[in-house]
Amino acid sequence: MTAIDTVGDSHARRMDRMYRTQRHFYDLTRKYYLFGRDTMIHGLDVPASGSVLEVGCGTGRNLAMIGKHFPKAQLFGLDISAEMLISAEAKLRKAGFHQTVLRVADATDFTPSEFGQTGFDRIVISYALSMIPDWEKAIDAAIAALNPGGSLHIADFGQQERLPGLFRRGLQAWLTRFHVTPRDALVSVLKDKAARAGHSVEFRPLGRGYAWLFVYRRPS
């Protein structure tokens, strides 16, 4: 596994400050409210020896699970936090995924060539768009990095549209404390991008809108 130097901007520094300590217990706490991640992973349908990139891979939890479900997949991950990638490298090494390629990079400004690739068969963004200030640009970068026939898989907070208002307001106030902003325009933005590019997108809400899942497909 290899990693490059950290991205030198304010968002990267903020994420490093946040996760310098949190990375040690991140997975234990997040498993209770980051719904839909496993559902997303089970639906990846990675082709034999296909490449999978996770944007905002954090501690490597998802990449390790992807590797277990699709043992022949080539695994790649990027995160803006060098601190998180310390945990990711350790977790993936312990799980036996020694060939995983990790990079410290900005989700809004990366290319497959940074990983020695021309594109990826599957790209995963799990609960990261709600923390990326320029989240639409991150989507554009991911779409541009897809191989023909590839797909972008997104799981993130929805708008809790079918949950009680008190719960919704309380959750969103709590998320704000951690620089998390559920993207209310995510459905329309993805559908618009797909329509303009001649691609397709599937949308599935979970838990009465607690979480939103998307599969964005680029034709062969």
Side-chain angles (χ1 to χ4, degrees):
M1 282 179 229
T2 57
I4 61 174
D5 293 336
T6 189
V7 180
D9 62 17
S10 60
H11 184 56
R13 290 192 295 271
R14 186 171 71 219
M15 293 299 101
D16 275 341
R17 285 196 302 271
M18 178 184 300
Y19 292 125
R20 186 164 289 118
T21 301
Q22 285 192 37
R23 67 183 178 85
H24 297 290
F25 51 85
Y26 181 93
D27 289 335
L28 179 63
T29 58
R30 266 58 176 186
K31 72 178 183 179
Y32 296 109
Y33 64 88
L34 299 187
F35 300 154
R37 295 181 298 173
D38 294 352
T39 300
M40 174 189 66
I41 290 169
H42 293 157
L44 287 176
D45 191 25
V46 181
S49 301
S51 55
V52 182
L53 169 71
E54 182 173 16
V55 175
C57 64
T59 65
R61 181 263 187 196
N62 291 337
L63 282 173
M65 181 168 285
I66 291 168
K68 289 176 182 177
H69 279 82
F70 306 99
K72 294 184 179 180
Q74 304 173 63
L75 303 179
F76 302 84
L78 71 83
D79 203 285
I80 202 167
S81 171
E83 294 290 336
M84 280 299 229
L85 288 187
I86 294 173
S87 291
E89 288 195 14
K91 182 182 293 292
L92 290 161
R93 188 181 301 113
K94 183 177 180 180
F97 302 115
H98 303 283
Q99 301 304 312
T100 304
V101 178
L102 301 176
R103 294 284 186 266
V104 180
D106 189 333
T108 69
D109 185 25
F110 75 92
T111 62
S113 62
E114 296 174 49
F115 299 85
Q117 302 293 302
T118 57
F120 300 98
D121 298 308
R122 302 289 184 269
I123 297 180
V124 171
I125 309 180
S126 173
Y127 285 90
L129 292 177
S130 52
M131 296 191 71
I132 298 172
D134 197 353
W135 59 276
E136 290 192 46
K137 192 174 179 183
I139 292 173
D140 288 336
I143 292 171
L146 286 173
N147 280 329
S151 54
L152 166 62
H153 300 251
I154 297 171
D156 215 316
F157 291 105
Q159 293 298 297
Q160 300 82 51
E161 56 269 20
R162 296 178 57 207
L163 289 168
L166 182 62
F167 176 88
R168 182 173 60 251
R169 291 189 294 273
L171 175 65
Q172 296 194 0
W174 182 73
L175 292 174
T176 300
R177 296 177 54 194
F178 298 94
H179 310 286
V180 177
T181 305
R183 307 303 182 185
D184 58 353
L186 187 53
V187 176
S188 60
V189 165
L190 284 168
K191 287 184 176 180
D192 180 64
K193 292 181 184 298
R196 286 189 285 110
H199 299 170
S200 65
V201 63
E202 302 159 16
F203 168 51
R204 177 185 175 189
L206 293 181
R208 301 176 68 184
Y210 180 95
W212 285 353
L213 299 184
F214 299 87
V215 180
Y216 181 107
R217 301 186 189 279
R218 176 182 174 183
S220 300

